[in-house]
């Protein structure tokens, strides 16, 4: 399964960074040959409906995705990409 980061496509309220256990979610997304997202499946939901909804909105905003290079086509079209939503990763990305 490919790995894809979409940090730039979702907005995080600072409250998600508070506390010791921020919400995290993982989705597997499938694209067609034009890069359009044709299916998304939860691998792990956060348990926070608002956070999960923001993750799905980020996926919609990111579409169409770049077409994968030939060496990753089969994986992209058949196994999908894993997208992880973790507010602590987004915070680290913004500070670098």
């Amino acid at each position: 399964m490919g790995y894809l980061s979409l940090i730039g496509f979702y907005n995080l309220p600072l409250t998600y960074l508070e506390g010791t256990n921020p919400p995290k979610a993982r989705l597997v997304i499938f694209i067609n040959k034009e890069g359009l997202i044709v299916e998304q499946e939860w691998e792990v939901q956060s348990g926070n409906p608002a956070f999960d909804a923001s993750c799905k909105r980020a996926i919609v905003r990111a579409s169409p995705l770049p077409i994968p290079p030939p060496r990753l086509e089969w994986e992209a079209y058949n196994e999908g990409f894993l997208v992880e939503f973790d507010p602590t990763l987004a915070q680290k990305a913004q500070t670098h």
Side-chain angles (χ1 to χ4, degrees), residues 42-89:
W42 287 108
E43 184 173 270
V44 176
Q45 287 183 270
S46 72
N48 179 323
F51 183 80
D52 291 345
S54 73
C55 296
K56 286 207 161 203
R57 282 192 303 274
I59 297 290
V60 170
R61 281 189 214 125
S63 187
L65 298 175
I67 297 170
R71 65 182 176 82
L72 296 177
E73 283 181 345
W74 188 91
E75 189 175 28
Y77 304 137
N78 296 284
E79 293 182 1
F81 288 104
L82 177 63
V83 182
E84 182 172 4
F85 293 90
D86 179 340
T88 60
L89 293 176

Side-chain angles (χ1 to χ4, degrees), residues 4-67:
L4 180 65
S5 175
L6 301 177
I7 289 173
F9 291 96
Y10 76 122
N11 300 320
L12 292 171
L14 294 177
T15 57
Y16 288 143
L17 296 171
E18 296 171 355
T20 58
N21 194 20
K24 297 177 185 173
R26 297 191 324 176
L27 282 156
V28 178
I29 59 172
F30 297 87
I31 62 172
N32 64 18
K33 294 189 187 257
E34 289 78 40
L36 297 173
I37 296 168
V38 294
E39 185 178 348
Q40 32 183 316
E41 300 172 357
W42 287 108
E43 184 173 270
V44 176
Q45 287 183 270
S46 72
N48 179 323
F51 183 80
D52 291 345
S54 73
C55 296
K56 286 207 161 203
R57 282 192 303 274
I59 297 290
V60 170
R61 281 189 214 125
S63 187
L65 298 175
I67 297 170

